[in-house]
Structures are given as structure tokens and as C-alpha cells.
Amino acid sequence: MSEAMSLSQERTQLFTDIMDGKIPKRVPVASNFAHEFAIQYAGKDLKEVQWDTTDLEASFEKVCEDFYSDLLSVSAFRMPSFYRILGSRNFVMGSNGFLQHPEVEGLKLEDYDAFIASPYNCILEKVLPNLYSELNSDPVTRSIVMAKAFKAYTDENNNLFRIYGNLVNKFNYGTVTLFAAFCEAPFDILTDQLRGFKNITLDVRRIPDKVEAAVNAAIPLMIKMGTQIFPNKYNATFIPLHMAPYLRTKDFERLYWPGFKKLVDGLAEKGMRSYLFVEQDWMRYLDYLAELPAGTVMTFEYGDPKTVKEKLGDKHIISGFYPLTLLKTGTKQECIDKAKELIEILAPGGNYFFGFDKAIITLDSVNVDNTRAVLDYVANNANY
């Protein structure tokens, strides 16, 4: 066996051991850099490279060369080409080169009943024309636009998958992926793409029965969306969690949690693991997270790591908590000391891999020397 193949297998084993409930030989590292960071870090023009991705692979390679990770460390989630073709209102390229997600209303208040009755038909007939101006047209024009956008989407993704494969082979990363599919909690999709933050906040207070019915209607769609093409117990479906911390506990218990639990349970029944980005502060909901299927992966943005370890560490796989703000403002030693602190709390007993509290998106959000030093320290010194 070649040395490169041996390294890839070793890194893969670190994560498969965790997912099998075993303690790996050391703490695995999963760093997460967005494509915007990679382009900036490589000294390329952000807007230019996103429209012409010729230089994208070289930008990704520079991140892989300079920052340690046991899994592929850089990815692109949204590219602007197909959004432009669709006339997108929900994802718009800003003047700084970053895709922005403005407050949108894809589902009108009067269309709740149509969504509850048939969510898929309602999305096709009412929501998409509201979100994408080029689809608000006659059937022939709409079909042509959709075909062009889908072609751009598949071209972009095929190119990205090619790049990912090249990088995994070149840098001998582990072959586990935490992003084998993507979906949202049913309440979150209702907020993010259908009603918007302002409207859903009003709806929860004024028409909670319809909100509840709409969430229930969205569950099968989200299970279908989150279903991996090739289910594998060592891969995961990524689910970012958005709205729960902004809800009153009684609204969370009625409107958010039941639909979300059915989603994660539904994926688990199909043999698929969920990977949750636990955004904001979920400390008051930890007992609920404990009810999810064993081995659910959770990256925490905020909260008390000691309490999370105590409540969830025996059943679930934990990561996150390391603040990007410290990488920006701290000294190198302060940054390393924080990594030591988190490892001492979260590593004992297993069910932990090292990761930051969120993806690194902008070049100016971190000090790159501090970031590199922390990743190198964990890779060489973090044991269970």
C-alpha cells in the first residue's frame, strides 16, 4: 500500500471509528473554508472567479496546502450563474462579490391553504414565480429559463465534484463526507424561502394553526430533499438550524421541534445520519437534541461545552465551539490555549472531532497565521 493511500485510510478511519462509537487514535480535524475565503486567500478577484471558475481549483488547492484538515477543507455551496438566469430575488450578488440572502416572501399569506393542501404544486405554481422573476412568465418562456438554469446548475456542480475528487486524491483526505445531501428543518424552510423572518414572526402569533399545518406539509419534501443518492452510515445530510433560538419555548415545542424530529427520524429510518449546524444558542433545547437518533453529528456555534458534553456527549458526536473571533483578535498562544481547553472538555470518552464554530467565509474574519497554528497544533497533539 502506498504512503498516500495509507494516509487517506487512516484519516477515514478516524471518522468511521467515531461514527461506530469507538475512540479513534487521535482527535480528527475537520476545518471548513468557504469558496469565497479560498478565492480571496489565493489573491484572486472574488466576483471574477465566481463567474469564470477556471481558477477555482487553484484557489482551493492553496487552502488545502496551507491549512490542515483530515477531510476536504474547502467547498462551494452557491454559485451565482443559475441565480442570475432565474432572476433570483432570494440570492443576489452584492457589490462586494458575496451572495446575499435578502428578506423574501415567496409564499403569500393568502396562499397558506394552497401550500398545506399540496406543497409541491404550490411551490411550482406560486412560490417560484415570486422568488425568481424570470419564472413569472408564460409556460413556454418559463420552461426555457428553467432548462437553462438547470443546465448551468449541473455544469457548476459537475465541475465542483471534479475538483473535490482531485483534491481528495491529491491531499489524501479521508473519504467520509458530512455534506452528502442538504435540507432544512421544516419550520426553517417555511421561514427562509417562503414567508421570511418578519412574516413568520407575525404568523406564529396570529395564525399558529396554519403555521403548524404548513410545517407538517413540508416534512415529506424535506425528507426527500435530504435523502442521499447513495446512503452510507458514515456520510451525513447537512441541516443548518436557524429559527429555534428566536422562538418562545412554547412555540418551539409546538411548531419547530415536532417537524424537525420527524425529519431527522425519517432520514435515520432510511439509513442516513444527520449533521446539524446548531446555530446561535441552543442551550435551553439540549434535552430535545438528546432525543435525536444516536450518532447525530452536531457542530455548535455558541453555548457551554461542558454542559453539552454532559448532556449529549455519550449519545451524539460533537464539534464546534471554537470562536473565529479569537482567531482574529487573539495571540497565537491564546488561540492554541483555547484549542487545548476545548479538547480537554470535549475529547474524553470520544464522540468529538475538532472544528470551528462556523465556516470561514471572508479573509478578514481570521488571522491566517493563528488559524494555521491552531489546526497544526490539534493535528499533532490532540489525543483522547
Side-chain angles (χ1 to χ4, degrees):
M1 182 186 298
S2 69
E3 183 177 345
M5 185 178 295
S6 176
L7 177 58
S8 176
Q9 289 188 359
E10 177 184 317
R11 288 168 159 173
T12 300
Q13 191 69 47
L14 294 172
F15 283 91
T16 58
D17 279 348
I18 287 180
M19 293 175 180
D20 284 334
K22 302 175 182 177
I23 298 179
K25 63 184 292 188
R26 64 172 173 83
V27 173
V29 177
S31 53
N32 187 5
F33 297 89
H35 72 275
E36 293 96 339
F37 174 91
I39 293 167
Q40 292 177 303
Y41 183 68
K44 306 292 184 179
D45 184 270
L46 187 57
K47 288 179 285 187
E48 191 173 296
V49 175
Q50 288 183 94
W51 287 107
D52 178 4
T53 57
T54 305
D55 290 331
L56 192 59
E57 186 166 358
S59 299
F60 283 13
E61 279 194 11
K62 186 164 179 56
V63 171
C64 295
E65 288 169 353
D66 291 356
F67 299 94
Y68 187 87
S69 185
D70 291 308
L71 300 180
L72 179 62
S73 58
V74 63
S75 62
F77 189 53
R78 300 184 190 278
M79 305 303 286
S81 57
F82 43 89
Y83 288 115
R84 174 66 65 86
I85 293 170
L86 291 167
S88 174
R89 296 189 178 106
N90 56 338
F91 293 100
V92 180
M93 178 68 78
S95 59
N96 60 358
F98 288 88
L99 275 178
Q100 309 292 329
H101 178 44
E103 176 82 348
V104 293
E105 185 185 35
L107 182 75
K108 304 294 185 183
L109 181 63
E110 60 268 23
D111 293 329
Y112 255 107
D113 289 339
F115 182 84
I116 294 164
S118 179
Y120 185 77
N121 288 344
C122 181
I123 288 172
L124 287 179
E125 296 166 4
K126 299 179 182 294
V127 174
L128 293 183
N130 288 336
L131 294 180
Y132 303 103
S133 62
E134 296 303 311
L135 298 181
N136 189 13
S137 183
D138 62 89
V140 173
T141 301
R142 184 163 60 240
S143 298
I144 293 171
V145 169
M146 182 62 84
K148 289 180 179 178
F150 189 73
K151 177 65 165 58
Y153 172 81
T154 53
D155 286 349
E156 295 282 22
N157 278 328
N158 288 340
N159 183 45
L160 287 170
F161 294 149
R162 177 190 63 80
I163 292 173
Y164 297 157
N166 290 346
L167 296 175
V168 168
N169 290 330
K170 181 173 182 177
F171 294 95
N172 308 307
Y173 288 122
T175 55
V176 167
T177 176
L178 300 174
F179 302 94
F182 166 83
C183 64
E184 286 195 281
F187 189 96
D188 286 335
I189 195 71
L190 187 62
T191 301
D192 294 344
Q193 301 297 328
L194 301 183
R195 292 293 291 148
F197 184 90
K198 177 183 176 181
N199 287 332
I200 199 68
T201 302
L202 295 173
D203 295 348
V204 163
R205 294 176 180 272
R206 296 177 181 178
I207 50 170
D209 291 347
K210 290 201 173 185
V211 173
E212 184 176 28
V215 166
N216 289 333
I219 294 170
L221 286 181
M222 290 300 99
I223 292 176
K224 184 175 182 178
M225 182 179 176
T227 297
Q228 301 163 26
I229 297 175
F230 303 106
N232 181 327
K233 71 174 184 176
Y234 297 125
N235 293 335
T237 293
F238 179 59
I239 310 176
L241 307 180
H242 297 150
M243 280 297 294
Y246 301 100
L247 295 173
R248 296 174 297 181
T249 300
K250 67 175 185 178
D251 294 327
F252 169 86
E253 291 173 340
R254 178 185 178 186
L255 303 175
Y256 194 100
W257 178 251
F260 173 55
K261 177 75 161 51
K262 288 176 183 176
L263 166 63
V264 178
D265 285 345
L267 293 174
E269 288 168 4
K270 290 184 164 191
M272 290 173 288
R273 186 185 308 267
S274 295
Y275 171 38
L276 313 180
F277 177 36
V278 188
E279 290 189 23
Q280 281 295 326
D281 189 345
W282 273 65
M283 292 302 291
R284 61 188 161 125
Y285 301 136
L286 293 185
D287 290 337
Y288 292 93
L289 293 177
E291 298 175 13
L292 295 175
T296 299
V297 185
M298 306 179 188
T299 285
F300 283 83
E301 187 173 19
Y302 300 116
D304 177 15
K306 290 182 180 179
T307 304
V308 171
K309 181 68 174 179
E310 291 169 1
K311 286 182 173 286
L312 304 178
D314 289 339
K315 183 178 180 181
H316 298 305
I317 299 166
I318 299 168
S319 187
F321 287 115
Y322 192 102
L324 294 191
T325 52
L326 182 61
L327 294 177
K328 174 71 173 179
T329 62
T331 66
K332 186 175 294 185
Q333 190 58 52
E334 287 171 339
C335 292
I336 291 174
D337 288 344
K338 184 64 176 180
K340 291 180 182 178
E341 174 193 329
L342 289 172
I343 291 164
E344 288 174 359
I345 294 169
L346 295 168
N351 277 351
Y352 169 69
F353 64 89
F354 182 84
F356 299 120
D357 65 348
K358 56 180 72 69
I360 300 176
I361 298 176
T362 63
L363 184 59
D364 62 2
S365 64
V366 296
N367 176 304
V368 295
D369 291 333
N370 287 347
T371 306
R372 190 179 301 114
V374 167
L375 293 172
D376 289 344
Y377 171 82
V378 177
N380 292 308
N381 299 280
N383 298 309
Y384 289 96

